[in-house]
């Protein structure tokens, strides 16, 4: 199976919606690549706009956030905008259903962990590297000074989809 | 053990149970619009899989930006149009016949009790008003739907919301659903199907039921639905006459989809609406809802009446009842977008369009338009809009704009005064 994880970026907010992840005006694009510069362009953080040019955001492969990430519109563009920015994992306490399914359908991970575990991840300082151990359903987060491990449970079907490389490949074989 | 309506629909459509918690179900109606479908079409073409399971199960429309506003949206429309022709999809609606998907498809009688429906659009839950399971999905789910006629869901769990009491005058389905979302919060119904029931829902017409179901997704729900009854059968009568001897017989048959009395619910909630005031959102989340009297006096730059939530004839009549003989405030831009051509033409016949135009409204063709901030009424930075749509997200109707969601009646009142206004004193005045 594909490897998941990498350098982490933390977004301390609940209910980040897909209009914030990729605004509707980019839905006229017909290539995924065109979405790349616009990821989270309309995000509001601490009542301010979000600086998408921050180097640690640009380098991120894992996003760590709070609850109900990906609510709102069904646009899979939100997942593609992550994909073309090389983000392959989002970790939070919960996700909106359609977004979560879109992630697994594309063969990448939406991982739900307990609120106290998210708290622990947010408490890490400095640069954080996160690895996802899919054999043992464990998130391993390392900072310079500390390692945090937390477990998650993945719906077995969603795991199969990730293994198959997404829902289209799975369904084409099976149905 | 008893079953909910959703469990009955799933049982009648199950194709596979890959795990005890997941079900792959056959989909009766696969709906497509030009924002999320072209990219699915292009991907299928790329992969050498440009096929459709059954052209009659596919319903397609160009509605989000129509007529096209630029070359990119014109290309999206063209991809849809060419695809519909190539695959002989006869229920394809283009300029002249097109309107907002979730208003147009019900009007054509495409959705029947017990159906399963998917679309690459989160407000697909609107069609649950007919006692169907209708869910918004992403592009990959849509591709698989188009190609194989199936979709995967977690085993459905339901939340029952019983609406009781006497709905006060001036308070509508939109106010009820805003109040429910406030109560549930934006993820209070995640992974659940909301079953709206109780005497207030039983007494609603299909238009109001669609308004309720439409915004289920704003509470995170997989879908929302109402139990099909005589009201449903009456609405569908022009399309089901060959299947049934009478409306009553159809209504009787639809009972087979009703939830059993001993069905299990993950959550239940009873809402008494007897003291409910008109509701309005503030800030950027649909659960940030207040009584309209609390926000009265907030300045409005634009009023938008339309969308799959509240762009139907009943909504236009409500708004017109306030606008009749009145004028839009000099500081406000009023925009009306009837949701479908049939609604537009009915509104013309009833003289409602004239009321809007005399009041100073701009009347647009049926389209999603400003609802998603792509065309036809996008806000400038710092502007605010009183809107009958369903999302007040930051940037939804234009970067830096604020959207206040409310009922058509409240939106019309805001148009007249230029600020958020309790519409009740203006009724019959
Ligand atoms: S009217 Fe608005 S919410 Fe409804 S389908 Fe169109 S864009 Fe979506």
């Amino acid at each position: 199976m594909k490897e998941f994880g990498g350098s982490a970026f933390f977004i301390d907010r609940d209910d980040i919606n897909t209009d914030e992840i990729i605004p509707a005006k980019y839905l006229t694009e017909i290539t995924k690549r065109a979405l790349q510069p616009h990821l989270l362009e309309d995000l509001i953080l601490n009542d301010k706009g979000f600086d998408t040019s921050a180097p640690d955001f640009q380098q991120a492969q894992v996003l760590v956030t709070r609850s109900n990430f990906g609510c709102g519109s069904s646009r899979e563009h939100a997942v593609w905008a992550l994909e073309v920015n090389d983000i392959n994992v989002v970790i939070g306490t919960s996700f909106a259903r359609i977004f979560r399914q879109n992630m697994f359908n594309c063969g990448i991970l939406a991982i739900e962990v307990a609120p106290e575990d998210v708290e622990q991840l947010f408490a890490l300082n400095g640069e954080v590297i996160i690895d996802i151990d899919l054999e043992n359903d464990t998130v391993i987060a390392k900072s310079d000074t500390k390692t945090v491990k937390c477990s998650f449970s993945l719906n077995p079907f969603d795991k199969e989809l990730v293994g198959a490389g997404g829902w289209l490949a799975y369904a084409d074989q099976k149905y | 053990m008893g079953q909910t309506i959703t469990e009955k629909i799933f049982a009648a459509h199950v194709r596979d149970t890959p795990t005890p918690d997941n079900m792959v179900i056959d989909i009766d109606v696969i709906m497509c619009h030009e924002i999320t479908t072209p990219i699915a079409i292009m991907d299928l073409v790329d992969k050498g899989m440009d096929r459709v399971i059954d052209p009659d199960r596919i319903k397609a429309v160009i509605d989000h930006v129509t007529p096209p506003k630029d070359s990119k949206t014109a290309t999206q429309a063209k991809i849809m149009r060419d695809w519909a022709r190539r695959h002989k999809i006869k229920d394809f609606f283009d300029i002249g016949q097109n309107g907002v998907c979730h208003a147009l498809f019900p009007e054509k009688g495409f959705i029947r009790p017990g159906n399963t429906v998917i679309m690459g659009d989160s407000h697909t839950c609107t069609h649950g008003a007919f006692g169907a399971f209708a869910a918004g999905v992403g592009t990959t789910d849509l591709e698989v739907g188009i190609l194989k006629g199936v979709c995967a869901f977690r085993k459905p769990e339901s939340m029952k919301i019983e609406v009781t009491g006497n709905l006060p005058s001036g308070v509508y389905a939109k106010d009820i659903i805003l109040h429910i979302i406030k109560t549930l919060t934006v993820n209070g119904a995640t992974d659940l199907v909301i079953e709206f029931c109780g005497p207030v829902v039983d007494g609603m017409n299909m238009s109001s039921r669609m308004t309720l179901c439409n915004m289920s997704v704003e509470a995170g729900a997989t879908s929302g639905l109402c139990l099909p009854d005589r009201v449903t059968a009456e609405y569908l009568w022009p399309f089901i006459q060959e299947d049934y001897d009478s409306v009553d017989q159809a209504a009787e048959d639809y009972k087979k989809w009703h939830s059993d009395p001993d069905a299990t619910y993950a959550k239940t909630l009873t809402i008494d609406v007897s003291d409910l005031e008109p509701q309005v959102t503030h800030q950027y989340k649909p659960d940030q809802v207040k009584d309209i009297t609390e926000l009265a006096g907030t300045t409005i730059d634009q009023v938008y009446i339309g969308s799959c939530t509240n762009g139907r004839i009943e909504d236009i009549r409500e708004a017109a009842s306030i606008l009749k003989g009145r004028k839009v405030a000099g500081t406000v831009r009023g925009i009306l977008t009837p949701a479908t051509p049939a609604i537009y033409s009915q509104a013309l016949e009833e003289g409602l369009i004239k009321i809007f135009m005399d009041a100073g409204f701009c009347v647009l063709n049926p389209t999603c338009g400003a609802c998603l901030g792509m065309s036809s009424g996008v806000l400038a930075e710092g502007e605010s809009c009183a809107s009958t749509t369903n999302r007040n997200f930051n940037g939804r109707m234009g970067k830096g704009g604020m959207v206040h969601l409310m009922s058509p009646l409240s939106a019309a009142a805001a148009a007249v005064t230029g600020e958020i206004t309790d519409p009740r004193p203006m009724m019959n005045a």
Side-chain angles (χ1 to χ4, degrees):
Chain A
M1 199 179 280
K2 193 174 148 188
E3 298 281 305
F4 293 96
S7 157
F9 185 80
F10 293 79
I11 307 177
D12 196 355
R13 230 203 72 193
D14 296 313
D15 305 319
I16 293 173
N17 65 61
T18 53
D19 272 82
E20 291 176 293
I21 300 172
I22 189 78
K25 60 179 180 236
Y26 304 117
L27 302 185
T28 57
E29 299 297 346
I30 43 176
T31 66
K32 298 181 182 181
R33 191 47 53 191
L35 306 174
Q36 196 269 334
H38 307 298
L39 175 66
L40 286 165
E41 179 173 285
D42 275 357
L43 179 69
I44 298 261
L45 217 48
N46 306 319
D47 293 325
K48 291 196 297 284
F50 173 66
D51 178 13
T52 57
S53 66
D56 49 344
F57 175 65
Q58 287 294 329
Q59 285 157 19
Q61 277 119 23
V62 178
L63 292 186
V64 184
T65 173
R66 299 280 181 178
S67 71
N68 200 31
F69 186 84
C71 59
S73 150
S74 63
R75 62 189 69 158
E76 200 158 309
H77 303 70
V79 174
W80 303 330
L82 295 171
E83 272 185 314
V84 295
N85 279 284
D86 295 324
I87 291 169
N88 55 55
V89 183
V90 183
I91 299 174
T93 56
S94 65
F95 293 91
R97 179 195 65 90
I98 302 175
F99 176 84
R100 185 188 63 208
Q101 199 58 52
N102 289 343
M103 289 286 281
F104 295 120
N105 283 350
C106 288
I108 60 177
L109 296 175
I111 291 189
E112 294 177 345
V113 299
E116 54 278 16
D117 289 332
V118 165
E119 232 32 271
Q120 280 205 58
L121 296 175
F122 269 93
L124 290 170
N125 292 318
E127 199 184 322
V128 177
I129 305 290
I130 290 186
D131 271 319
I132 306 297
D133 176 354
L134 275 179
E135 304 246 306
N136 302 300
D137 291 349
T138 309
V139 174
I140 305 158
K142 289 193 179 116
S143 75
D144 286 347
T145 52
K146 207 175 160 191
T147 299
V148 167
K149 288 191 180 187
C150 47
S151 62
F152 57 87
S153 74
L154 217 52
N155 177 300
F157 177 67
D158 293 336
K159 211 175 198 172
E160 267 190 62
L161 294 185
V162 173
W167 170 228
L168 185 60
Y170 180 99
D172 191 43
Q173 259 193 13
K174 221 170 150 188
Y175 305 109
Chain B
M1 209 179 62
Q3 288 181 308
T4 61
I5 172 170
T6 311
E7 287 167 334
K8 289 183 184 185
I9 296 173
F10 270 59
H13 289 83
V14 64
R15 167 80 75 93
D16 189 14
T17 27
T19 83
D21 292 330
N22 299 83
M23 294 173 90
V24 176
I25 57 172
D26 284 313
I27 302 299
D28 297 315
V29 188
I30 300 139
M31 309 194 301
C32 299
H33 66 56
E34 91 283 14
I35 296 294
T36 51
T37 313
I39 204 152
I41 296 168
M42 306 274 286
D43 191 49
L44 290 172
V45 169
D46 267 2
K47 294 191 162 104
M49 296 170 149
D50 181 26
R51 300 184 296 271
V52 303
I53 177 84
D54 172 3
D56 291 345
R57 273 154 75 183
I58 296 179
K59 315 291 171 191
V61 65
I62 295 171
D63 63 349
H64 275 57
V65 189
T66 181
K69 68 182 172 85
D70 55 15
S71 315
K72 282 183 174 171
T73 47
T75 303
Q76 288 183 307
K78 181 169 167 25
I79 294 170
M80 281 285 281
R81 192 177 294 126
D82 291 348
W83 173 73
R85 284 189 191 142
R86 187 157 81 234
H87 294 290
K88 304 195 168 45
I89 295 167
K90 65 179 192 320
D91 294 318
F92 166 62
F93 302 90
D94 205 340
I95 289 181
Q97 277 77 48
N98 60 357
V100 177
C101 49
H102 310 307
L104 185 73
F105 294 152
E107 205 177 81
K108 300 285 176 193
F110 292 155
I111 323 301
R112 308 292 170 76
N115 274 175
T116 53
V117 184
I118 60 167
M119 182 175 203
D121 191 284
S122 56
H123 293 104
T124 307
C125 46
T126 314
H127 308 280
F130 291 85
F133 172 76
V137 297
T139 297
T140 304
D141 274 338
L142 183 68
E143 282 181 46
V144 172
I146 289 169
L147 201 60
K148 303 281 176 180
V150 298
C151 193
F153 292 94
R154 294 202 181 171
K155 228 169 104 187
E157 287 195 281
S158 297
M159 167 191 270
K160 183 176 181 167
I161 299 185
E162 201 170 353
V163 187
T164 63
N166 292 310
L167 196 61
S169 139
V171 182
Y172 291 95
K174 180 64 160 285
D175 302 301
I176 299 178
I177 189 64
L178 286 172
H179 177 67
I180 288 174
I181 295 161
K182 176 187 180 178
T183 310
L184 294 177
T185 76
V186 287
N187 57 354
T190 301
D191 281 320
L192 299 174
V193 177
I194 300 178
E195 198 174 308
F196 295 101
C197 57
V200 175
V201 180
D202 294 342
M204 281 180 181
N205 58 25
M206 289 311 297
S207 175
S208 290
R209 292 181 189 182
M210 284 190 251
T211 303
L212 272 192
C213 292
N214 176 271
M215 290 190 74
S216 315
V217 69
E218 264 60 63
T222 303
S223 192
L225 47 72
C226 302
L227 302 176
D229 60 6
R230 199 171 196 289
V231 177
T232 323
E234 252 167 35
Y235 182 103
L236 289 174
W237 185 241
F239 311 102
I240 57 172
Q241 289 184 28
E242 287 176 9
D243 308 332
Y244 297 102
D245 295 338
S246 66
V247 170
D248 285 323
Q249 196 205 17
E252 194 53 37
D253 181 48
Y254 290 165
K255 283 193 184 148
K256 65 176 180 246
W257 297 113
H258 285 199
S259 299
D260 297 325
D262 58 342
T264 315
Y265 293 89
K267 291 185 192 173
T268 53
L269 180 72
T270 303
I271 303 248
D272 186 326
V273 292
S274 303
D275 295 323
L276 191 66
E277 277 198 25
Q279 304 285 294
V280 54
T281 61
H282 60 110
Q283 298 298 321
Y284 300 120
K285 289 199 300 167
D287 60 358
Q288 292 174 306
V289 173
K290 288 189 171 172
D291 288 347
I292 199 156
T293 45
E294 286 180 79
L295 280 182
T298 308
T299 309
I300 291 297
D301 302 293
Q302 177 171 298
V303 171
Y304 186 80
I305 298 179
S307 88
C308 56
T309 320
N310 283 123
R312 283 174 289 272
I313 190 70
E314 292 83 354
D315 304 310
I316 296 172
R317 285 183 194 133
E318 293 301 339
S321 75
I322 295 276
L323 294 174
K324 190 165 190 185
R326 293 192 171 103
K327 292 262 180 250
V328 166
T331 51
V332 168
R333 313 182 294 271
I335 299 174
L336 167 69
T337 308
T340 70
I343 294 166
Y344 197 139
S345 131
Q346 177 76 21
L348 266 176
E349 240 168 67
E350 293 182 21
L352 306 174
I353 298 295
K354 179 144 176 50
I355 294 176
F356 274 85
M357 294 187 79
D358 287 349
F361 260 75
C362 157
V363 182
L364 296 181
N365 65 296
T367 176
C368 293
C371 173
L372 79 165
M374 283 180 77
S375 63
S376 311
V378 179
L379 300 176
E381 186 109 31
E383 288 189 326
S384 68
C385 181
S387 179
T388 69
T389 55
N390 49 34
R391 287 202 169 128
N392 56 338
F393 296 157
N394 177 44
R396 173 74 181 184
M397 291 181 88
K399 200 175 173 88
M402 168 70 78
V403 182
H404 295 285
L405 304 176
M406 59 183 78
S407 76
L409 198 73
S410 303
V416 172
T417 61
E419 48 191 46
I420 294 180
T421 304
D422 185 348
R424 290 171 297 179
M426 293 167 81
M427 294 169 73
N428 313 314

